[in-house]
Amino acid sequence: MSLIDFSKSEITFKIVYYGPAMSGKTTNLGWIYRMIPDKVKGQFTSIATETERTLFFDFLPVELGSVKGFKIRLSLYTVPGQELYKLTRKSVLKSVDGIVFVADSSGARRDDNINNLADMTRNLEEYELPDTPVVYQLNKRDLPDVMPVDQLMDELDLGGKPVFLGIASSGVSVMDCLKGITREVVSKI
Amino acid sequence: MEGQLSSLVITKEDMDTIDELFSQYLVDSQAKDIILLNKSGELLAKSGTVTRESAVAVSALAAGVFSATNELAKLLGEHEFTLTFHQGKETNIHISLVDPLILLAVIFDNKAPIGAIRFWAKKISASIRPVLQKMAAVPHQEPSEEFRKGLQDEIDNLF
């Protein structure tokens, strides 16, 4: 649910990074946190377990600047990817405006990508948000056992959808994905 | 199925009314901070000593806690829990549902008895509800094509 505050001339969008466990969602947010100047970013809040896996969500508020006299703010969230946290994932998705789906390009994670994408689609349908804009990041393209792009896109049925090839740990396509999803959510306002 | 609004619009007039109510209640209730947020975790209004940066983070976490608590409610056969309360050594936070999409978080120090906290949270919710109903009743106006296109064109400059 975008929030349009005329008293402060601000528009806030909620963007969620979704995807299977260890696919690089928190790494994406971490990179954004490092790239964005201090004065336009808020506190990076992370609720992690002792092994640094996301337990609840990561949260990073970002102020992009002004367009047409309105300050554009993004609330960036990640979900926990592990199967165990199915209900937590659903609750973080509540009132989402846009999603970056972070897939793991490793051949060994094929089923995890497919199942997690199906889980996301199901949750969006339950929230009556099936038309939520999604951009897709095929992450970890530097791994030795990556699936070919065409095959991965085919398996996830991504033909005609906005897809970015990423290496989030070194920032490849991180900002492009954020820009891509920002364009999509703004077009839906 | 859980219906949701596509966007929430706050006018300056609505915000002034909320700010005024919160400032008064801050004095009357001796609460440290009053924060209004939506269920998706966005800060709508705040009053008290809390900084905007902290209030933004509190809103995201409070909505997360509330949402997780409601999944718990469903597992237990309840439709929804309408409030959660966390008690600390120095500070307490009371999070309650004001209307189907809006939450109120009131932060007190440890001197306030729990009965008083509940009383004030209820009273503030009751005062704020008509303002929220008025906000929801205003028909959602689509931004002009020109405005939307302008936003799109300028997005590139933000990155």
Side-chain angles (χ1 to χ4, degrees), chain A residues 31-135:
Chain A
W31 184 268
I32 294 165
Y33 186 72
R34 285 198 296 279
M35 290 304 290
I36 286 188
D38 283 350
K39 60 175 188 190
V40 297
K41 68 189 175 196
Q43 245 165 271
F44 189 171
T45 307
S46 189
I47 308 176
T49 60
E50 281 174 12
T51 53
E52 294 187 358
R53 303 284 296 277
T54 308
L55 172 64
F56 201 164
F57 57 69
D58 305 308
F59 171 65
L60 175 64
V62 172
E63 184 189 307
L64 285 182
S66 292
V67 289
K68 296 267 158 200
F70 277 83
K71 226 180 267 169
I72 304 289
R73 289 178 178 274
L74 303 177
S75 298
L76 307 178
Y77 289 80
T78 66
V79 293
Q82 292 163 277
E83 178 56 26
L84 178 67
Y85 300 121
K86 223 164 122 171
L87 291 175
T88 311
R89 270 202 296 283
K90 188 180 168 194
S91 72
V92 176
L93 213 51
K94 197 170 189 71
S95 300
V96 65
D97 292 304
I99 298 174
V100 178
F101 184 87
V102 183
D104 190 325
S105 294
S106 160
R109 303 297 307 281
R110 175 189 170 273
D111 290 352
D112 294 332
N113 289 322
I114 294 172
N115 292 339
N116 202 274
L117 189 56
D119 172 68
M120 180 186 91
T121 309
R122 206 167 33 241
N123 285 333
L124 289 175
E125 276 166 9
E126 280 185 38
Y127 280 139
E128 297 178 16
L129 294 170
D131 299 327
T132 303
V134 185
V135 302

